[in-house]
């Protein structure tokens, strides 16, 4: 039986988040430049999005570029931005065909102008879709997001719109970029690294974590289904 067949369709995680890691190592192992790893990673993005949509996942968040990733060599950053824009443009018709809505989280103001414009167009073109929500974390880091939320909340207190006694966990959630998105049920990280790397620190409070040694460019539908099946074998207690 395949993992896809083993999955209980009645108990799917509503939201899966993925730290897509290992592109550079995948390329290095094959004697290629790092960017070849990123190019092959696009195939995995397509496969994973399709796999999630096929089985009926509601939200899929992909960590595509962190605020720390701006610190990589200029050639790699430029190549990643170009790849991103190209992919978004090329994939928009497929997203529409599959009823997928694109959303983004992160500091998009830091994106090059051309990239930001094309991203905005894809967001607009897919806004009416009602199937899977594909959330791209772009120029994202959790500490950046939380810092922003604190600033906004302080402004509201300063303007007399909010009483400090009324600040709850819910108020904080509503000031994060993920305000319209439920917390992830399952987090997957590829490439064998066992860390969170500044991703969704607040939202992952009760998320189930799944780590695999597979490098992102090798990740395929069945790898996603295996992670979902593994998730379904766990007992979530939420401290109760
Ligand atoms: C993940 O792969 C993609 C991004 C962070 C943009 P890496 O580029 O981090 O690849 P490794 O971890 O160096 O192998
Ligand atoms: C995390 O991977 C960021 C993304 C996958 C976009 P990194 O490769 O940047 O993280 P570290 O440096 O291994 O922690
Ligand atoms: Mg990495």
């Amino acid at each position: 039986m395949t993992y896809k067949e083993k999955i209980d369709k009645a108990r799917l995680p509503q939201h899966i988040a993925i730290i897509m890691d290992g592109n550079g190592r995948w390329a290095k192992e094959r004697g290629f430049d790092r960017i070849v790893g990123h190019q092959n990673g696009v195939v995995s993005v397509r496969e994973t999005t399709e796999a999630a949509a096929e089985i009926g996942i509601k939200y899929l968040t992909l960590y595509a570029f962190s605020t720390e990733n701006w610190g990589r060599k200029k050639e790699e950053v430029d190549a990643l931005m170009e790849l991103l824009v190209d992919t978004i443009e090329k994939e928009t018709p497929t997203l529409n065909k599959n009823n997928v809505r694109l959303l983004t989280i992160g500091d998009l103001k830091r994106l090059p102008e051309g990239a930001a414009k094309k991203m905005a167009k894809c967001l607009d073109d897919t806004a009416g879709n009602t199937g899977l929500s594909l959330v791209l974390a772009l120029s994202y880091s959790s500490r950046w997001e939380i810092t922003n939320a604190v600033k906004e909340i302080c402004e509201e207190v300063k303007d007399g719109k909010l009483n400090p006694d009324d600040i709850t966990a819910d108020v904080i959630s509503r000031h994060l970029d993920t305000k319209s998105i439920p917390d992830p049920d399952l987090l997957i990280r590829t490439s064998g690294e066992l860390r969170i790397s500044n991703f969704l620190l607040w939202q992952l409070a009760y998320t189930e974590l799944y780590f695999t040694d597979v490098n992102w460019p090798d990740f395929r539908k069945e790898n996603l289904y295996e992670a979902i099946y593994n998730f379904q074998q766990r007992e979530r207690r939420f401290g109760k």
Side-chain angles (χ1 to χ4, degrees), residues 19-21 63-66 69 72 189 193 195 197:
I19 302 177
M20 310 182 286
D21 199 13
Y63 201 5
F65 195 86
S66 72
N69 289 152
R72 293 191 181 191
R189 183 169 188 149
E193 304 295 358
R195 54 177 171 263
S197 301

Side-chain angles (χ1 to χ4, degrees), residues 20-25 34 38 64-65 69 72 76 80:
M20 310 182 286
D21 199 13
N23 295 352
R25 278 163 285 166
R34 296 177 59 82
H38 299 313
F65 195 86
N69 289 152
R72 293 191 181 191
E76 186 177 348
L80 269 168

Side-chain angles (χ1 to χ4, degrees), residues 139-153:
S139 184
Y140 173 88
S141 82
S142 197
R143 287 184 176 180
W144 165 82
E145 181 188 42
I146 292 171
T147 305
N148 244 3
V150 170
K151 282 187 198 160
E152 277 182 30
I153 291 170

